Amino acid sequence: MIRRSLLGALLSAILTLTSCARAERYPPAPAPKMSKPEQRIEEIPYALSWIERHETPDVPIVFVAQTSAEWPGLKTYWNEPPHPAAMRLSHVGLTSLHALSAVAATEHQASIKIKVPRGLPDPTPNVPPTNPLTLAKWQLGKKLFFENMLRAGEDSYSCAKCHDPTTGFTERGKDKNGPSRNTLSLLNVVYNRRQFWDGRVETLEETLVRSLDDERTVASNLRRAKALEQHIWGGTVGTLAKRPAFVQEFKSVFGVRQPTQDTIARALATYLRTILSGDSLYDRIEEIRHAKKAPVLTLDQVKEALKEKDSNIGLRDPEVNEVKAEELPARVFQGYELFKKHCVQCHRGPLFTDQDYHNVGYLGAEARPKDAETGRVAAVPIGLKGMRLFGAYRTPSLRNLPRTDPYFHDSSELTASHFTLMRVVEFYNEGVLPGPHLAEAMKEDGKARRLGLTKAEQESLVLFLRTLDGTRAHDEPQP
């Protein structure tokens, strides 16, 4: 036993000594020498892009469309829920079964209800299930919309600078250093299937940020041009993260330590989806038609709608000769008939758009190098491109035309100064330019199609288009 113990101790000592010697033979490798510091791509913290949110309980916002039995009972656009104290006591004194029903009804009523303006479809199917409308997100989104948080070189912008609520949420003035595309109106933007003139993104959440790279800063001489042309605003998250009030609000609404691309996009999209405008003269004419169960619109229905007080004020156009009151219904109806004949193929449905993209033979549609991809075709993936998409831009909604000029996708001086509503009709009447990619709807017998309307008929068409102007956009509810 003693010999075995001594032998074990001896072996242990030998192993210990050899281990130490091996460690000395292989010392730690020295740090590699770098002749010049490497230029690295700017690292962006993960939190600037997306993180799992834990949104706090909030008051939901729901749309109530004209097809709902609840719609006539809502008196205003923005309808707040009953007072919380009254809601909590709504079941007091009731039997158990009735109390449960009252509690369920209370939970349904505890939401802000938006009365969708007359004539507009229900926007609810266009709200992503992952970003439901809530009051706190709406309030934060509205603040972001008017905040100078978008940086371009030495300049800062707010969304409202280009999408001005006083001019139909679009931009009427021409900035010679601005983008080459007209600013699209945000009125009823919730209904768009895709966004921008070329449809390059699908959801409203993507209009401000689309990838982690959007947050990278670039050289100052490129930032302004890139931001205005591509709608990419690097540094937005960092700008908001330096403002304690916004940091606290994002924490309160989304449960995040600081603003992120994801939460900024969600809040802004929530606000944008509530900017609605309907209840136009045309919508009131259609309501009369439905009440009479008439299969088609008639002159008598136009006459009845025009009997309303001040209903013809919005029809006055400085470029249309004065029309006597007794002649106005017939002229509007004539414009409607002309619209059905010449325009409804692309401008159809309650929003007066087919949500498609067309080359309409406008001067700026293909005014680029011969081999350049322009319009929708540039945004379509390889394998899905089509010749008809060259120089093709979105079919804009015709609602609220008098408040959303200038027209066409181009932002040139010609467009900004020349294309009034009457001039647009004149263009389609006699100015459509031929081209290899002209839309089929703009062709007749293989040639560029011209409407061939008389001056009086053009004026009647303008009068009808003016009936599509709705009420002031409901962007200022007071929750």
Side-chain angles (χ1 to χ4, degrees):
M1 292 294 294
I2 296 175
R3 288 180 179 177
R4 290 180 181 178
S5 298
L6 291 173
L7 181 59
L10 180 60
L11 288 173
S12 177
I14 292 172
L15 290 173
T16 302
L17 290 173
T18 57
S19 298
C20 292
R22 183 174 180 83
E24 291 174 358
R25 289 168 56 193
Y26 298 98
K33 296 181 180 180
M34 300 179 66
S35 57
K36 294 182 180 180
E38 294 182 0
Q39 185 176 2
R40 300 178 182 276
I41 298 176
E42 178 188 356
E43 296 293 335
I44 299 178
Y46 175 76
L48 294 184
S49 175
W50 182 90
I51 61 173
E52 188 68 28
R53 299 161 315 284
H54 302 283
E55 296 182 22
T56 56
D58 196 2
V59 179
I61 299 174
V62 297
F63 291 115
V64 179
Q66 192 175 0
T67 52
S68 170
E70 190 179 7
W71 190 84
L74 299 178
K75 302 301 181 184
T76 61
Y77 172 80
W78 186 270
N79 300 271
E80 298 182 43
H83 191 276
M87 292 165 58
R88 287 196 298 268
L89 297 175
S90 62
H91 63 283
V92 174
L94 300 179
T95 64
S96 299
L97 181 59
H98 289 154
L100 287 173
S101 299
V103 169
T106 296
E107 291 180 355
H108 175 70
Q109 292 172 2
S111 60
I112 290 174
K113 297 178 181 179
I114 290 180
K115 185 177 183 179
V116 178
R118 182 184 281 105
L120 297 181
D122 186 359
T124 304
N126 296 348
V127 180
T130 52
N131 191 25
L133 305 182
T134 64
L135 177 59
K137 272 193 293 186
W138 181 91
Q139 290 173 322
L140 177 56
K142 183 177 178 180
K143 287 182 181 179
L144 293 173
F145 187 83
F146 291 96
E147 182 71 20
N148 286 328
M149 63 173 180
L150 308 176
R151 298 286 299 171
E154 300 301 321
D155 302 323
S156 61
Y157 298 83
S158 70
C159 301
K161 176 173 175 54
C162 297
H163 298 280
D164 187 349
T166 65
T167 57
F169 283 85
T170 186
E171 184 179 30
R172 285 185 175 171
K174 168 62 183 169
D175 181 357
K176 64 180 181 180
N177 296 317
S180 61
R181 296 285 172 260
N182 270 332
T183 302
L184 279 164
S185 171
L186 296 179
L187 294 175
N188 302 324
V189 72
V190 65
Y191 300 106
N192 288 353
R193 291 180 189 170
R194 301 191 69 85
Q195 315 302 325
F196 299 114
W197 280 107
D198 56 7
R200 60 185 179 271
V201 303
E202 182 174 358
T203 69
L204 285 172
E205 282 80 1
E206 296 175 279
T207 55
L208 191 68
V209 288
R210 293 179 283 287
S211 72
L212 186 61
D213 284 339
D214 291 352
E215 189 58 24
R216 297 187 189 277
T217 57
V218 296
S220 60
N221 61 331
L222 297 176
R223 286 192 64 186
R224 190 173 191 276
K226 184 177 181 180
L228 294 174
E229 289 292 341
Q230 302 180 25
H231 213 266
I232 295 176
W233 307 90
T236 301
V237 173
T239 298
L240 292 175
K242 295 175 183 177
R243 303 182 184 181
F246 273 107
V247 171
Q248 181 58 41
E249 192 151 6
F250 274 90
K251 182 178 180 181
S252 175
V253 176
F254 292 104
V256 293
R257 290 175 298 175
Q258 68 172 50
T260 67
Q261 285 183 316
D262 185 68
T263 53
I264 292 170
R266 287 170 181 269
L268 264 176
T270 297
Y271 171 66
L272 296 179
R273 290 190 172 105
T274 66
I275 302 176
L276 304 178
S277 178
D279 194 21
S280 66
L281 176 57
Y282 173 80
D283 295 321
R284 294 194 288 276
I285 296 172
E286 276 289 285
E287 190 173 54
I288 292 171
R289 182 180 73 81
H290 282 292
K292 295 181 179 297
K293 299 182 179 179
V296 295
L297 190 148
T298 65
L299 176 59
D300 288 338
Q301 295 152 17
V302 177
K303 288 180 178 178
E304 186 174 343
L306 284 171
K307 288 179 181 178
E308 297 180 18
K309 183 180 179 182
D310 298 330
S311 61
N312 65 338
I313 291 178
L315 302 184
R316 296 172 185 170
D317 190 292
E319 295 184 290
V320 173
N321 293 324
E322 190 69 27
V323 180
K324 295 180 181 180
E326 60 271 20
E327 298 176 356
L328 191 57
R331 294 291 298 275
V332 170
F333 184 70
Q334 180 188 37
Y336 168 71
E337 292 290 308
L338 292 168
F339 180 83
K340 284 199 304 178
K341 180 179 180 180
H342 298 292
C343 312
V344 78
Q345 183 173 345
C346 298
H347 296 282
R348 58 177 180 259
L351 299 169
F352 297 89
T353 174
D354 61 0
Q355 302 275 7
D356 202 355
Y357 305 82
H358 303 283
N359 183 321
V360 297
Y362 169 63
L363 178 64
E366 296 182 281
R368 288 194 178 188
K370 183 178 180 180
D371 296 330
E373 292 185 346
T374 61
R376 176 64 178 150
V377 74
V380 175
I382 295 293
L384 297 179
K385 296 181 185 291
M387 297 302 289
R388 78 172 189 91
L389 299 178
F390 273 88
Y393 294 88
R394 72 177 308 119
T395 305
S397 170
L398 297 185
R399 284 187 174 271
N400 307 296
L401 282 176
R403 289 180 289 144
T404 56
D405 63 295
Y407 308 109
F408 292 107
H409 67 280
D410 185 45
S411 182
S412 67
E413 293 287 352
L414 175 66
T415 302
S417 62
H418 182 68
F419 277 107
T420 60
L421 190 52
M422 186 65 192
R423 296 294 185 270
V424 170
V425 172
E426 290 177 351
F427 165 78
Y428 285 109
N429 193 55
E430 57 188 27
V432 176
L433 299 176
H437 307 123
L438 188 64
E440 289 300 318
M442 306 300 299
K443 295 178 182 178
E444 189 172 25
D445 297 328
K447 300 179 180 180
R449 180 170 174 259
R450 311 288 172 84
L451 301 184
L453 305 179
T454 66
K455 182 66 174 178
E457 287 174 328
Q458 293 176 57
E459 291 179 344
S460 294
L461 183 53
V462 169
L463 289 174
F464 170 72
L465 293 175
R466 281 189 163 272
T467 69
L468 305 181
D469 192 24
T471 54
R472 183 187 67 82
H474 296 282
D475 63 300
E476 296 291 339
Q478 298 297 325

